[in-house]
Amino acid sequence: MKVFVIGVGLIGGSFAIDIKAAFNEAEIYGVDKNEEHLDKALSLGFVDKKSSFEELDKADVVITSIPVDITVKLLPEILDKINDECLVFDVGSTKKKLCNSVNDHPKRRNYLAAHPIAGTEFSGPQAAIANLYRGKTNIICEVEKTAFKLQERGMEIFTRLGMRIRYMDPASHDKHIAYVSHLSHISSFMLGKTVIEKEKNERDIFDMAGSGFASTVRLAKSSPEMWAPIFKHNKENVVETLTEYIANLTQFKELMEEDNFVEIYKEMEDTNHIKTILKGIS
Amino acid sequence: MKVFVIGVGLIGGSFAIDIKAAFNEAEIYGVDKNEEHLDKALSLGFVDKKSSFEELDKADVVITSIPVDITVKLLPEILDKINDECLVFDVGSTKKKLCNSVNDHPKRRNYLAAHPIAGTEFSGPQAAIANLYRGKTNIICEVEKTAFKLQERGMEIFTRLGMRIRYMDPASHDKHIAYVSHLSHISSFMLGKTVIEKEKNERDIFDMAGSGFASTVRLAKSSPEMWAPIFKHNKENVVETLTEYIANLTQFKELMEEDNFVEIYKEMEDTNHIKTILKGIS
């Protein structure tokens, strides 16, 4: 099985590591515009051969793990170049624009729209890790538009990697994921910004910040190259979540200004049941 | 050494566990208005005897680990009851109101204002853990107002528990901690609220949320009993941080509405150096 990984960073690299472990016959072909990343992936051993778009006709599976705006641009070209029996899946955090972009492509049936809910705040080939996908949810959109045989090939990979599958339409995916993922990244980035702006002497932050701050600001380490296009793709939903988040923060601030700490207590108590909701999320 | 722990929850209980381990001669006396918590602390073994305010004259060390508004009320009474050689320290997340409240107390020299930057999102005696304080920063305010011999006793405890000491005036403490701790809690609580409000079907959140969401929303599990009084005590500083945080979020939203994703990329890139700042924070 010849697997082409386009973008050999955290996400693509972690797929390569697990696929090599789960499929004896897998050969990983790395494609990346960043030559240093390709060399690093080769030396780390999860890519077997450097490759390019010119060789895509040899592929049995193509994984695109690159920023969503680049995927939208390249996906039609990738579908043009593959053979009829090849499965292409992406891993992007937005799905609507991607699905729309290939809706009328003659090889639409070769494409599976996927979003594995997995990652870390790190990026690049050196961030790739084994078992990143074990026990994680993989959201598949418009599964009915993918050829049945190729759905099966995708599922075989996802199952061997230990993922749970969930089916959803692209619009619902983008709406829900804005709340449980995209908003978290913005809240974290802006928290980091607010604190950095205030505390020019960085030793002060370092000394006084505990694990709580580290936890809320962790996502502010994420790659802008990956995230700016996600916000762009999902603009409408993300703006809506931001509007609601800002309204809630403003109301909290007003309660404080009015010395209404009884209501503030209640707000926190009401939100505490997030404990139960979160049970089981690593 | 007779150590009275007033409030046998996460923070007080964790002190009790480590002090018992570090000082052979330590006896822990538990005081708590919640009788069930006291029984639990006894059965967990980190409290040796149930006690009360009436026995405070026997204490060599008193630790108050209760909500800050209750500490402010009880601290003068505790100082009234202790003997002249006893050290009292608190662990509260605000310091100005506390220091002011005992500034003119005849036993001011028996009190050490402390804030160990340590904790988890859990609470109660069953949340107490060993080594919670190892490697953590302990901020001491107005150290010069504590009798030298009692400073030494406090330092002996903090040192054996593995803490790093930092000295600061109460006003600076409250200002800085608003940014690196209090704001994180509000951002997390309001993030939880925003998502819960939107996603009435909680399975949707559960299935789609990954470790990033779990991380940013973790502090929304915190105890309102502990946190509402902290926000009340530190109102002015917390309102200031909230104003700045809301302004940054609003600007981010406006950039999105204007499709200025170049600037959004830059915002994130500028904040990315939080990586370096956070290095070393667990």
Side-chain angles (χ1 to χ4, degrees), chain B residues 154-225:
Chain B
M155 290 311 145
E156 184 65 26
I157 293 173
F158 303 144
T159 307
R160 288 209 200 172
L161 266 55
M163 309 187 88
R164 302 155 60 213
I165 306 299
R166 181 164 175 183
Y167 299 96
M168 199 175 265
D169 68 280
S172 300
H173 167 276
D174 288 6
K175 182 177 159 299
H176 289 303
I177 208 73
Y179 282 92
V180 294
S181 167
H182 303 172
L183 178 59
S184 287
H185 282 78
I186 299 174
S187 83
S188 202
F189 267 110
M190 291 302 101
L191 183 66
K193 183 185 174 180
T194 306
V195 176
I196 288 171
E197 271 178 350
K198 196 65 188 185
E199 309 279 348
K200 299 296 177 190
N201 178 351
E202 289 173 7
R203 289 297 301 172
D204 280 356
I205 302 177
F206 179 83
D207 286 351
M208 295 185 71
S211 55
F213 180 67
S215 175
T216 40
V217 92
R218 179 170 73 84
L219 298 179
K221 302 177 191 172
S222 304
S223 155
E225 201 178 344

Side-chain angles (χ1 to χ4, degrees), chain A residues 69-125:
Chain A
D69 57 335
I70 317 282
T71 310
V72 160
K73 273 188 208 141
L74 296 183
L75 192 55
E77 190 182 336
I78 293 165
L79 290 176
D80 288 344
K81 290 189 189 302
I82 56 163
N83 68 68
D84 281 348
E85 309 303 320
C86 175
L87 166 72
V88 178
F89 71 87
D90 84 301
V91 298
S93 190
T94 55
K95 293 267 79 70
K96 204 171 145 187
K97 274 210 195 333
L98 267 166
C99 286
N100 285 348
S101 75
V102 291
N103 203 35
D104 300 321
H105 195 284
K107 290 219 190 90
R108 173 64 186 85
R109 58 188 287 286
N110 294 75
Y111 168 61
L112 184 69
H115 179 198
I117 313 286
T120 73
E121 68 274 31
F122 306 112
S123 44

Side-chain angles (χ1 to χ4, degrees), chain B residues 2-6 29 31 51-52 55-56 58-59 61-63:
Chain B
K2 293 183 170 58
V3 179
F4 279 62
V5 177
I6 303 180
Y29 291 73
V31 181
S51 189
S52 71
E55 295 194 291
L56 277 174
K58 296 198 302 184
V61 176
V62 177
I63 305 173

